[in-house]
Amino acid sequence: MKKHMKKIVILGTVALLASFLIYGVVSNDTKYSPVGYSLKMDFSGEEVPTFMADVQERLDKEMITNMNYHTNTTLVIKRANKVFPIIEPILAKYGVPDDFKYLAVIESSLVNAVSPAGARGVWQFMPATAKEKGMEVSDEVDERCHLEKSTEAACKYLLVAKEKFGSWTLAAASYNGGMNGITKKMEEQQVDNYYDLLLTEETSRYVFRILALKEIMKNSDKYGFSIPKEALYYNIPTKKIVIDSSITDLAKFAKTQGVNYKILKIHNPWLRDKKLTVTTGKKYEIEIPTSGYNKQ
């Protein structure tokens, strides 16, 4: 019995100490600050109001999720070394903030992904929207998978959204929720700030996912993603060939260029068929690698 009572006393003491450690922060007037990252964040120069309790928790959720999503986070860091050098100058050319490259990260993990709804490419355009932005989407050609052209289309969308909302943060949110969708919610709720809006789960998380990936990818060593430079993916040299007439057999065409069908498709993912029909007055640029596939 004495031993039993002693156990109860010890367990009670441990529980008391544990509750103090867990809840002791409640009696502390000092503002909570997560360990490992700063609450001072911005998106495209627009400050994140982390003084708001829900904003702080939503940011923390995405930071924790992506810090521990090791496979995907490792892969996007490796891919960024290959993809960002193509995206960055296009964003700069259109005057779109560099932070929007992280929007591409959360949209597709920097691959030509296909969503259940039919969105495709690094920037995840639906067919109708892609055509509206001047991209060709057909049985033979899908320029949603053309990184340069789809990035330009994304820039055009974002510039219109920024003009409409006056905020890069809302422009980013509208990339997920749609301009009409965001406008409707703002009117219903009588607010004009992303962080004050009650949105769908996906759109509510959207900007916070961008913020988390931006923070982790810019400071990858700090968050345990120490990837040697030689382990990153990289772009290999290519040459561009202008095509102004139809190609009936892309496999045969690839052979004439010193590569095979697989390599041709890897470097030109916008080619969807085994042939390429070129209408009068139309031209395409096909990339052919000049190294990277032969033994040294």
Side-chain angles (χ1 to χ4, degrees), residues 240-264:
K240 291 185 178 180
I241 298 175
V242 177
I243 302 298
D244 57 8
S245 59
S246 297
I247 301 172
T248 56
D249 190 329
L250 285 171
K252 287 182 179 178
F253 169 79
K255 290 287 187 181
T256 68
Q257 300 302 316
V259 296
N260 60 35
Y261 183 72
K262 178 197 75 172
I263 295 171
L264 179 71

Side-chain angles (χ1 to χ4, degrees), residues 22-39:
I22 293 169
Y23 299 106
V25 70
V26 174
S27 63
N28 190 340
D29 292 332
T30 304
K31 187 173 183 288
Y32 169 69
S33 179
V35 175
Y37 65 91
S38 172
L39 284 174

Side-chain angles (χ1 to χ4, degrees), residues 7 127 135 175 261:
K7 269 187 182 178
M135 286 185 282
Y175 201 88
Y261 183 72

Side-chain angles (χ1 to χ4, degrees), residues 5-43:
M5 289 299 295
K6 190 174 181 182
K7 269 187 182 178
I8 292 173
V9 171
I10 292 170
L11 288 171
T13 304
V14 170
L16 181 63
L17 287 170
S19 67
F20 175 77
L21 290 170
I22 293 169
Y23 299 106
V25 70
V26 174
S27 63
N28 190 340
D29 292 332
T30 304
K31 187 173 183 288
Y32 169 69
S33 179
V35 175
Y37 65 91
S38 172
L39 284 174
K40 189 176 175 63
M41 287 192 187
D42 72 90
F43 175 72

